[in-house]
Amino acid sequence: MSEAITNEVRVRVAVRYLEERSNPHANRFVFAYKVTITNAGEAPVQLMSRKWIIKDADGDVETVEGPG
């Protein structure tokens, strides 16, 4: 699990390898990500948008973004 806190907003990411959807012989590895966002402060917050930059072990980058 990875965790970061910025401006009293905590983001935790847990990664799970999906063996049943992966095929190592074809160099295909599938993972699921569970992202939990928690307000750790007193002031209300609202998620307006999101942008995840996912970098694999080979250095390949995939960007996922959209409304919150």
Side-chain angles (χ1 to χ4, degrees), residues 7-63:
N7 297 328
E8 299 188 291
V9 175
R10 175 183 294 117
V11 179
R12 289 184 177 155
V13 180
V15 182
R16 185 169 54 94
Y17 175 62
L18 300 179
E19 184 175 2
E20 68 280 2
R21 300 203 42 205
S22 297
N23 184 348
H25 300 294
N27 204 28
R28 177 180 163 85
F29 304 92
V30 180
F31 294 85
Y33 300 86
K34 179 180 179 184
V35 179
T36 304
I37 301 171
T38 306
N39 182 3
E42 296 294 321
V45 296
Q46 181 177 358
L47 181 65
M48 302 298 289
S49 65
R50 62 190 171 91
K51 181 175 182 180
W52 311 117
I53 301 172
I54 304 165
K55 185 175 182 180
D56 68 19
D58 294 329
D60 296 325
V61 176
E62 182 179 347
T63 302

